[in-house]
Amino acid sequence: MLNWISQHWHTFWQTLGRLVRAPISTLLAILVMGTTLCLPAGLYLMLHSLNRLQGVIHENPQVTIFMKILSNSSDIQQVNGLLNQDTEVKDYKFIPKNEALKSLAQRSGITDLLAGLPSNPLPDAFVVRLKNSTPENIAYFKNSVLNWPSVDSVQYDAIWAQRLAALISLGRNFIILISVLLAFTVSVIIGNTIRLQIASRQAEIEVSILIGATRRFIRRPFLYFGALQGLASGLIAWGILQLCLMAINVKISAFSNLYGSIFILHSFSPSAIAVLLAGSSVAGWLGAIFGTSYAIKNI
Amino acid sequence: MISLKQVSKRYPGNLEALRDLNLDISTGEAVLLTGRSGAGKTTLLKLVSAIEMPSAGEIMVNGQSITRLRRSQIPYLRRSIGIVFQDQKLLFDSDVLTNVTLPLHICGQSRSVAMKRARAALDRVGLLERERSLPVALSGGERQRLCIARAIVNRPSLLLVDEPTANLDPDYAKAIIDLFRSFHQAGVTVVIATHDIEVINRFPLRQIHLDQGRLLNHTGPTTY
Ligand SMILES: Nc1ncnc2c1ncn2[C@@H]1O[C@H](COP(=O)(O)OP(=O)(O)O)[C@@H](O)[C@H]1O
Ligand SMILES: [Mg+2]
């Protein structure tokens, strides 16, 4: 058993050495594969960030209920009571029209103009947060609120949220598809480099088989080589994307006062890195299996 | 050790290299496989080491039937045989020591054991001080001794040698023949295929003489 481990360890180091001393063509292949893997991994990052954004919307889904301009305090009391009773409501806040006007005046700097108005044009409003804020739930809540007395309108970008959710699930499928396709591409590229390597070491392999090497023994270093090549490609993809993220986020942070931090692109989680590296290694390993079984059969 | 029963070998192209061969070589015996070029000597050695399969007949090596051996068992059979190939089959990009450790790596020996045993084998053939040389830097006789070191490094009980003295000066040839004699005296079964009269004269052994793939005489020790 120990002997077996030391054998594999030996092969592993030998292979690593071979990779380090690899010809430029192999290094270029790794670079190409790394860049290729940037596509699904980068799409994943964007999706991941959108997902977080969706999470933020879900956590703070604000539904605004605008009262009719002419509603009086008893109407407001009534809506207040209805909101109080509604089990779907997590919490809510009343924003009287005076306050809304004051805030508008402060933000817009058109105090004089507003002061010149004969009456306050803004309605009273309630800002409501729901316990369960799936798009369906919000739509349902909106419809019921519209039937309440003195309610003028209810505002919530339900359609936008639904589109985001649909986009994310579409994107997820797209990423799975494109990852499988590109992993296959990586397998084929690695399989081919290994086929060429075997061809260049044909004499050595032939001799080894003649003096008692099993096909498994012949294959082993090439399988390691394939997996290491895949792993290196994954690392390169990770590195490239990490650099891109840093560059993009520096730009975004300049606007962060306007939009808040939710638009920052998030970097890979440890599990996503693990999936990327494991996936690229497995793709390399599989490519090596194809490459070796094709090439060694002919010896 | 080796037994052939009605063995024939037909290569693609319908050329019959061996015809209806019956012979036995016992354990610890040393024999010469003689016959002129093209007689089928190399083919016979290839059949015994399962590099080629017979077209007909039965071959037993070390109690195992070659024809009934599963494909996956062939490597293990070959590890028990030391072969000196007619065309040497050395790794020309690797140094002497690496060439000799190759069979040990294949058998899964650890690096340190492989080094130790490879040096012992090189010492046996007198090549120890050339361990870092590449095969191209060796003389013909040294290269042949390197092949022998690789063949014996696994301590095989059977040694198959194909034309060991081809292209060698008589002095070198004598040293090589003496090496095989010492392996034989140590109990190894040795089969030497040769058409070199020098070898045949120096090594008075039983001869298996092939002529166009047929066994001609199957005699005891002869002297020419
Ligand atoms: N791989 C092969 N394919 C076809 N014919 C072969 C092959 N190997 C050997 N032969 C033929 O078989 C005959 C015996 O060859 P070989 O065993 O090499 O003879 P020897 O070793 O005695 O010189 C020769 O006629 C040779 O041309
Ligand atoms: Mg021959």
Side-chain angles (χ1 to χ4, degrees), chain B residues 2-214:
Chain B
I2 300 173
S3 136
L4 279 75
K5 287 198 172 59
Q6 295 173 329
V7 171
S8 296
K9 174 65 187 177
R10 191 185 288 275
Y11 281 115
N14 225 19
L15 186 120
E16 202 158 41
L18 292 176
R19 278 180 238 182
D20 201 25
L21 227 57
N22 290 290
L23 64 90
D24 284 284
I25 298 168
S26 35
T27 305
E29 199 183 0
V31 299
L32 293 177
L33 190 56
T34 57
R36 68 172 71 106
S37 193
K41 304 182 293 295
T42 298
T43 301
L44 179 54
L45 296 185
K46 280 182 176 170
L47 290 180
V48 170
S49 49
I51 294 170
E52 295 283 354
M53 282 294 151
S55 318
E58 167 105 51
I59 303 175
M60 301 287 291
V61 177
N62 233 339
Q64 282 180 301
S65 165
I66 299 281
T67 38
R68 281 188 227 135
L69 214 53
R70 269 187 284 122
R71 203 173 136 82
S72 60
Q73 290 177 305
I74 290 176
Y76 300 96
L77 171 85
R78 291 196 190 141
R79 290 179 199 182
S80 69
I81 306 175
I83 312 176
V84 178
F85 298 95
Q86 187 170 3
D87 52 353
Q88 302 192 320
K89 299 210 184 293
L90 292 168
L91 307 182
F92 285 97
D93 301 332
S94 306
D95 64 18
V96 164
L97 190 62
T98 309
N99 268 282
V100 180
T101 50
L102 182 66
L104 298 164
H105 282 316
I106 286 172
C107 293
Q109 290 292 350
S110 73
R111 223 174 128 71
S112 56
V113 171
M115 290 295 195
K116 216 176 81 197
R117 285 177 57 177
R119 291 212 169 94
L122 284 173
D123 194 26
R124 186 83 197 268
V125 301
L127 270 187
L128 195 49
E129 65 285 9
R130 305 301 306 266
E131 66 172 45
R132 287 292 159 212
S133 307
L134 288 176
V136 282
L138 302 180
S139 71
E142 286 173 325
R143 217 174 293 157
Q144 194 63 35
R145 280 185 278 152
L146 170 57
C147 294
I148 295 166
R150 188 182 65 185
I152 58 157
V153 73
N154 252 332
R155 299 173 190 158
S157 54
L158 172 61
L159 197 54
L160 304 179
V161 190
D162 203 354
E163 309 283 4
T165 59
N167 314 316
L168 288 191
D169 294 338
D171 285 350
Y172 281 133
K174 181 185 179 307
I176 293 216
I177 292 164
D178 288 344
L179 261 178
F180 292 126
R181 190 173 277 136
S182 70
F183 296 137
H184 171 47
Q185 276 156 8
V188 179
T189 311
V190 185
V191 181
I192 303 174
T194 187
H195 65 276
D196 182 354
I197 290 294
E198 191 75 14
V199 177
I200 296 167
N201 286 343
R202 281 185 185 281
F203 222 165
L205 297 170
R206 173 157 78 97
Q207 277 182 40
I208 296 169
H209 190 76
L210 291 175
D211 184 37
Q212 291 183 18
R214 287 182 196 280

